[in-house]
Every structure is written in C-alpha cells, then in structure tokens.
Amino acid sequence: MKTKKLIFSMTILMLTCVIEASAQTVWLDELNLSNATQGNGVPMKNKSLDGKPMRIAGKTFSRGFGTHAESMLTILLNGKAKTFTANVGLDDEVNGHNPEVEFVINGDGKTLWKSGLMHQGDTARPCKVSVENIKKLELMVTEGTDGNYYDHADWADAKFETTGVTSLETYNPISNVPYILTPAAPATPRINGARVFGVRPGSPFLFTIAATGDRPMTFSAKNMPKGLKLDSHTGIITGKLNKKGTYVIRLCAKNNKGTAEKDLRVICGDHIALTPPMGWNSWNCFAGEVSADKVKRAADAMIKSGLINHGWTYINIDDFWQNHRDSKDKNLQGEFRDKDGKIVVNARFVDMKPLADYVHNLGLKIGLYSSPGPWTCGGCAGSFGHEKQDAESYAKWGFDYLKYDWCSYGEVSDGDSQKDPNKVPSFSMKGGNELETAMKPYRLMGEYLRQQPRDIVYSLCQYGMSDVWKWGGSLNGNCWRTTHDITDTWKSVENIALAQDKAAPYAKPGNWNDPDMLVIGTVGWGNPHQSKLKPDEQYLHVSLWSLFASPLLIGCDMEKLDAFTLNLLTNDEVIAINQDPLGKEAACVQTIGKMRVYVKQLEDGSCAVGFCNFGIDEANLSYKDFSKLGISGVQNVRDLWRQKNITKVNTATGALSIKVPAHGVLLYKFTKAK
Ligand code: GLA
C-alpha cells in the first residue's frame, strides 16, 4: 500500500516537473508585428513609434511593441497560452501634447481586460490576463475620447507564458488582393452626377455637366432659364438667376456614337448643397505641405483623370494656407494680418484670386479652411475677432466652400480678451459640449457667409460636439463632421461607421452628416503611402459613405490615382446613391452576427441596401428578412458595384443568397418589379 502511494506521489511530482519544464515564455516582440494595423507609422519592435527607446513616465523598457491608436493586433493562441502580461502606457516622446488612449484585450470576442483611459505622464499600468483556452486574442489601443492625436502607445515588457510552444502566430485574415468591379463607362454619352442643384438668387452660377463617353462631345440644353448660358464644348453652365423658383433643364450630350439626355432640376432659393458636396481636400495627403502649385495640380488631375465626368467638383484647400505661429519653414513665416486686419496668405499661395479663377475656368469649384479660434489645429492664423473680414475675403477671392474647424476656439470662448492668444493651444475641445458655447462661433461665421454675394458651402468641423447634427443646419451649416479625424486603418473606419446611426435621421438636402474624408489611394498627411485599408475595406468605406449621404471628399494625391482607386471613384451607380435627391441617410436596420444591414430610401421609391460585414470571417447566408428592409412584393435586385441585375426575388416566399467577404460589402438596389 505504502509503495503504491509513493509511486503515485512520485508520478505526480514528475508530471508537475514535466509541465513546468515545458512552460515557456514567448515575448510579444518575437511575433510578426507587421500584421498589426495602426493609426500612424509602422508597428515597432522594442522601440517607440518614433524609433526611440520605449519610455513611460520616465521609466525605460527594453522590450515591447510600440504602436499608435487605433491599433489592433490579432494573435492566434489556439489554447496554447496561459497568461499575457505587459506594462502599458503612452510614450514620453509625445510630452507636451495630451493624448488619451485605452488599452483593451479581447479574447474570442469577449473583453478580458481594459486599462481605463490613460494620459501622457501616467505611470505604466501592469496587466496580467489569464488567456487559458483562448483561441483568438486581440490587443487593441483605442483613441480614448479625444481622437487619435499623438497616441504613441507602448505595450512594454509584453509576453506570454505558453503551455510549451515556443512561438505564436499573428493573424490578419483580410485579403490584400485588389479587384476591380466598376465596368468601364461606355463610349456613347452618359450624363452622370447630381440631378438637382441649389443656387441662391443673384449668386454666380457654376455647374458642369458630368458626362462620360468619347470626346469630342457637344452639349446643349432645352428650357435654359434666362440668365444662364451653356458652353457647348465644355458643358459648363454659368450666369446668374435672379428669381426664386424651380427650373427643369433638359441637358443633352452628343458624340459620334450617340446622344444622351437627362433632366437637371435647378432650385433657386435659400438652400444650397442639395446633394452632398463631392470633391477633393488637401489634408489627408499633403497636410502642412500644401501649396498653390499642388492645388492647381490636383485640379488639373481632376480633369485629366476624368473624375469631373462623374460629378467630382470641389478642390478644397485645408489648413496651412495662412502664416504659422512658430514654424521653421520660411514660407509660413510672416504677419498674420495686414494693417487693416485682413488675413494674409502665406508665401506658398501668394494670391488667392488667380488660383480661384484657375480652378473655376476648369469648371470646378474651390474651398478653403479656417478656425473660429485664434489658431487653426495646425497652428496657423485663425479667424477669431476677424470673422466678417475673413468671410469677405473668401467671397472676394471667389471661394465656394469653407471648412471651419473648432481647434483653439474653446480656449477663448469665455470671451476673456485679456488672454494671451499666443498661449492658447492649437487644439482643445474645451467648451464644445456646452450647447450655447458650441453654437456661438458657427452662428457668427454662418451669418457673415450668408451676407456674401456668392454661395459658400459651410462645413462645420467640430467633431460632433453637442450633437451638431441637431442644430448645424439652423446656423446655415451645410455639413458637419460627426466624429474625430479619420485615418487609413480599419479600426478608424469601423469606429466612425458605427458612430453614425444617432445622427442619421437629421440628414436632409442641404444638411449632411460628415464622417470625414475618404482614405483611399495615396494618402499620408505629408508622409505618402498607399492606404492601409485592404481592398474589401475600401469597397465597404466608399459604399458606406455613399449610403450615409456624406460629403465625398477624396483625400489622396490626385496625381497618383491608380486603377483600383479610380474604380472606387467612378462607379456612377454607387455615386448616384450618395447624390440621390431625396437626401436620406441610410440607417442600420438589422445586425446578423457581425454583419450590419443598412437601408437608404431613394427618390424613385427604390432603396439601396448595404450588407456590410464588419467581421473577420466571410458571411454566407440565405437572406429572407425583406420586411426589415421595408420592401414587399417582387423586387428586382441590382448589384451596384458590378452594375448588373442579379435576380428577381419574391419577398414573401423567396430568399437571397448573400456572400460577403470579411470587412467587405454587397451594395444592392431593390426596385419593385412592374
Ligand atoms: C483637424 C481636422 C482635420 C484637418 C486638420 C488641419 O484635425 O479635423 O480634418 O482639417 O485639423 O489642421
């Protein structure tokens, strides 16, 4: 009996020794970190984002993963790890800024640990998480409540204790292979773009007929109201309407292959931007490096690429056309205002009027950027105290669009004139959540813009504070950002997409929710690179922004448009969803696992439906919930990206087979069969 007990105890002891001997440490930095997606820069091994030794609140760490929010790294543990430990925090290299992030660990879809919000200067927070039996582990850094500015985040000392395995795999299942869906436009003429156009009485009129098809092409129009004239070679309509009213113009485009006709409804009244503005903005590619030359080249590329033939119109200059408060760049140094208080344009732009003329002569429109505070977000001169003069300057130069960015306004919103504007930070959200404070500067500029003798689309940029969608329109606003800045990562696009539902019911013609600019093509905020979004993620991004009826502003270098990006920007049936005159924004009507179904009502009684897969596995199902889409009877189903009728479905008895790639989309239009 005794011997038996001894043998049993020895066996247990040996087994324990074997198990302990096989337990193994695997450091996070030993894994393939290139599968991580992050808001800025590239994943860093044992270094901070800027390539320095990792330091959190004065303490240096020799091992770990340096990243930038929104950051996501998936690791396939398959039950082979027992614990994950790390010390997390914001890196000291962003000292002086005040970023905020949260570190989050998910295992098999459940949250296992959260750091809580962390700020620059916080000591590293230790985390020890049991990951036993977990198959897929996600290490995430979210942007906190303040956008992803300066979010240099460190997973320091990060390691796994495994069940014995000596390596672990990271994972990014989304395909990298681009594929083109948009069919080439036919050689015969086709008139694309907005079907309705708003203008105020007495304002200069500029509308370019967007038409694809072989050139040369001649344009003509029937029922052209008095005061407007059409250039038959370019298709550009100019002039002025003096009387309020609705004018239906029959547009015609003709080439040696055929003729196309289409009605354009011109509504001369109080409202402009009756469909979401479409164009380009300098920020996501050039950021602080923008110049008049780059703007002209972007305008030229809008013509050369043929994008103008699909309705793309605005060429918008973002921050950095003014002088800067402390830049080392000589071109940005100089007085902020002249002796009369008028805003001074920096040396890269010199004179705005000829630039605006240049853009208008191409049949395009031009936009500008400022802040109601003393400084823009980038630290250039803002409009504070000079709102009237600035609105007048923009109009005199010939601008058609203003993006007005909150930035430093919160710091002066208490009207403290004693405050030294030089000490005001360029970016602060102070005051933005008090409704009256939030509205005040936008009301002021809105009134001055309305007093100008031209139509200036007014874009409010204050990241959705105080539910701007509820009141932006009452201050003459035409569109308003609903969230913080976008970056070219899946997490950023996903978070922004998922945050739109509450604002959606407020969208209408002339009043658009703006989930920020497109992050496709060569983007990079002065550090050019191909968008880090995978092809399916880009299809989802453009489809959703179309369903959201959001302003479509291309953020990439227009001289580097590749075939895939052009395919995303030239699908007239997808664009038509965005530009539909009814002006409804899609809402999510159903969630099936990780798939969200969005429905946008269209003017002709049909509806656009986006089957959007936010999950990392293909969605494959037989869809029957047609009542959720608000449709009945027999419906024709058209695939808008492929521009193909795919089937007819009886919504009472039938089913639709739906196969959506991971992070991808099916964008369909349902029209009642006659
Ligand atoms: C903010 C805005 C951006 C851009 C920059 C310019 O971050 O949200 O879109 O305009 O300012 O500094």
Side-chain angles (χ1 to χ4, degrees):
M1 190 62 192
K2 259 195 174 164
T3 355
K4 262 191 176 171
K5 245 189 178 170
L6 191 68
I7 293 173
F8 180 73
S9 311
M10 282 177 67
T11 318
I12 294 285
L13 190 72
M14 278 164 65
L15 270 176
T16 315
C17 290
V18 169
I19 289 171
E20 286 201 339
S22 65
Q24 179 84 35
T25 301
V26 174
W27 289 82
L28 183 62
D29 58 75
E30 294 170 334
L31 274 48
N32 175 8
L33 300 179
S34 70
N35 274 327
T37 59
Q38 57 185 50
N40 246 305
V42 288
M44 299 298 281
K45 176 176 161 171
N46 303 330
K47 292 264 184 314
S48 69
L49 188 83
D50 285 350
K52 299 182 186 147
M54 293 184 156
R55 269 169 76 85
I56 304 173
K59 189 165 173 209
T60 307
F61 297 87
S62 58
R63 301 195 77 160
F65 164 35
T67 186
H68 192 296
E70 299 278 332
S71 168
M72 161 86 128
L73 177 64
T74 306
I75 303 147
L76 289 182
L77 298 180
N78 289 327
K80 303 236 171 68
K82 295 191 285 187
T83 54
F84 173 73
T85 52
N87 284 300
V88 302
L90 279 153
D91 199 280
D92 287 356
E93 70 192 1
V94 288
N95 237 331
H97 303 282
N98 190 22
E100 183 184 77
V101 294
E102 185 167 32
F103 293 78
V104 180
I105 303 178
N106 289 338
D108 295 337
K110 290 206 183 81
T111 302
L112 304 179
W113 184 83
K114 277 181 170 191
S115 66
L117 291 175
M118 291 193 72
H119 298 94
Q120 211 276 318
D122 288 351
T123 47
R125 255 171 229 177
C127 96
K128 181 167 184 180
V129 180
S130 164
V131 293
E132 234 154 318
N133 301 322
I134 297 288
K135 293 197 180 73
K136 254 183 227 163
L137 190 77
E138 289 169 353
L139 301 183
M140 302 191 330
V141 186
T142 72
E143 61 185 20
T145 58
D146 64 342
N148 78 346
Y149 315 100
Y150 300 100
D151 287 345
H152 295 208
D154 296 334
W155 293 93
D157 286 345
K159 56 181 187 293
F160 293 93
E161 292 306 320
T162 74
T163 55
V165 293
T166 52
S167 69
L168 294 165
E169 298 283 307
T170 59
Y171 175 70
N172 193 332
I174 314 301
S175 163
N176 250 326
V177 186
Y179 56 101
I180 287 181
L181 295 180
T182 304
T188 47
R190 189 174 68 196
I191 302 181
N192 307 305
R195 290 187 282 135
V196 58
F197 180 70
V199 67
R200 297 197 180 105
S203 295
F205 190 101
L206 177 62
F207 181 92
T208 301
I209 303 173
T212 46
D214 283 359
R215 270 29 186 197
M217 193 175 277
T218 7
F219 298 91
S220 59
K222 285 180 213 141
N223 304 331
M224 187 69 99
K226 210 173 136 241
L228 299 188
K229 64 170 195 299
L230 165 69
D231 181 318
S232 62
H233 297 294
T234 60
I236 302 175
I237 307 174
T238 51
K240 190 160 53 168
L241 289 172
N242 287 322
K243 256 182 59 199
K244 283 191 174 179
T246 298
Y247 307 86
V248 180
I249 308 174
R250 186 79 182 157
L251 305 175
C252 176
K254 195 172 171 192
N255 67 10
N256 61 11
K257 302 265 166 41
T259 305
E261 292 201 5
K262 192 172 158 185
D263 282 343
L264 172 69
R265 213 179 332 139
V266 173
I267 303 180
C268 180
D270 292 327
H271 300 290
I272 57 169
L274 298 183
T275 63
M278 290 173 63
W280 173 85
N281 171 293
S282 59
W283 185 251
N284 288 357
C285 59
F286 298 130
E289 304 293 317
V290 68
S291 66
D293 179 52
K294 285 180 176 150
V295 171
K296 273 189 186 167
R297 280 162 38 191
D300 291 341
M302 193 68 105
I303 313 295
K304 230 170 114 192
S305 63
L307 283 176
I308 189 172
N309 302 332
H310 301 271
W312 298 93
T313 303
Y314 288 92
I315 299 292
N316 291 352
I317 307 165
D318 207 277
D319 206 353
F320 285 85
W321 58 269
Q322 325 84 326
N323 278 317
H324 195 270
R325 71 196 217 172
D326 53 13
S327 172
K328 298 205 168 46
D329 183 337
K330 283 226 149 35
N331 286 321
L332 302 178
Q333 295 169 1
E335 53 178 4
F336 303 124
R337 297 193 171 266
D338 69 10
K339 62 176 186 353
D340 302 320
K342 286 202 192 112
I343 185 83
V344 169
V345 176
N346 70 36
R348 294 193 203 146
F349 283 87
V350 189
D351 194 355
M352 289 297 197
K353 174 87 172 67
L355 180 59
D357 290 346
Y358 181 89
V359 172
H360 288 151
N361 284 335
L362 296 173
L364 299 169
K365 297 189 177 183
I366 185 161
L368 205 58
Y369 165 100
S370 187
S371 168
W375 306 108
T376 65
C377 292
C380 296
S383 294
F384 184 64
H386 296 272
E387 295 80 1
K388 183 166 188 280
Q389 276 177 313
D390 285 0
E392 285 165 4
S393 295
Y394 309 151
K396 227 168 84 205
W397 294 333
F399 277 83
D400 308 294
Y401 193 110
L402 176 70
K403 171 175 170 185
Y404 206 43
D405 195 344
W406 176 268
C407 298
S408 58
Y409 179 77
E411 296 293 326
V412 292
S413 61
D414 51 11
D416 182 358
S417 54
Q418 298 307 305
K419 198 164 212 159
D420 178 357
N422 290 315
K423 300 230 168 78
V424 171
S426 302
F427 184 80
S428 145
M429 284 168 50
K430 204 175 123 197
N433 290 316
E434 295 147 30
L435 182 62
E436 249 323 295
T437 310
M439 289 175 82
K440 193 174 160 195
Y442 288 99
R443 180 183 295 118
L444 191 66
M445 183 52 98
E447 281 165 9
Y448 290 131
L449 291 179
R450 272 308 293 270
Q451 289 165 17
Q452 304 313 312
R454 62 183 299 114
D455 294 345
I456 301 178
V457 171
Y458 186 28
S459 159
L460 281 48
C461 178
Q462 47 84 290
Y463 337 111
M465 294 185 294
S466 292
D467 293 352
V468 60
W469 43 88
K470 296 185 178 158
W471 47 265
S474 71
L475 309 183
N476 293 320
N478 297 114
C479 43
W480 36 80
R481 282 271 297 280
T482 50
T483 59
H484 282 287
D485 291 17
I486 198 166
T487 52
D488 57 324
T489 60
W490 166 249
K491 266 285 140 206
S492 172
V493 170
E494 179 187 37
N495 287 348
I496 289 181
L498 298 184
Q500 298 311 305
D501 286 352
K502 55 187 181 306
Y506 296 88
K508 61 176 190 216
N511 286 188
W512 310 109
N513 291 309
D514 176 4
D516 207 359
M517 300 172 285
L518 298 173
V519 277
I520 60 176
T522 304
V523 291
W525 299 267
N527 175 16
H529 59 261
Q530 266 306 112
S531 170
K532 286 180 271 180
L533 293 181
K534 305 285 178 72
D536 281 314
E537 296 173 341
Q538 300 194 37
Y539 277 116
L540 181 66
H541 175 32
V542 176
S543 304
L544 271 175
W545 267 232
S546 299
L547 288 162
F548 290 155
S550 78
L552 294 179
L553 291 171
I554 303 168
C556 69
D557 186 336
M558 295 288 289
E559 292 187 304
K560 294 190 180 136
L561 286 165
D562 55 282
F564 178 73
T565 309
L566 271 170
N567 136 79
L568 292 170
L569 297 172
T570 54
N571 192 311
D572 297 302
E573 296 195 21
V574 175
I575 293 173
I577 299 306
N578 174 268
Q579 294 289 300
D580 187 74
L582 192 62
K584 293 272 187 217
E585 175 168 344
C588 174
V589 297
Q590 188 181 17
T591 301
I592 308 169
K594 288 277 180 191
M595 190 170 79
R596 285 165 71 90
V597 185
Y598 286 87
V599 179
K600 186 182 196 287
Q601 301 303 328
L602 303 172
E603 193 188 41
D604 66 0
S606 63
C607 66
V609 179
F611 295 95
C612 303
N613 185 0
F614 287 88
I616 53 173
D617 301 305
E618 182 186 79
N620 201 338
L621 55 117
S622 169
Y623 190 81
K624 294 184 184 135
D625 302 333
F626 299 106
S627 63
K628 294 232 157 69
L629 310 181
I631 56 174
S632 58
V634 178
Q635 298 272 335
N636 289 318
V637 188
R638 186 165 175 83
D639 182 322
L640 297 177
W641 278 109
R642 293 172 177 84
Q643 300 186 355
K644 251 195 197 145
N645 294 332
I646 49 166
T647 188
K648 218 179 222 178
V649 67
N650 184 330
T651 56
T653 54
L656 198 60
S657 140
I658 299 280
K659 208 164 152 187
V660 197
H663 290 187
V665 66
L666 286 183
L667 184 60
Y668 286 174
K669 184 170 168 176
F670 289 81
T671 313
K672 202 155 204 166
K674 295 238 164 68

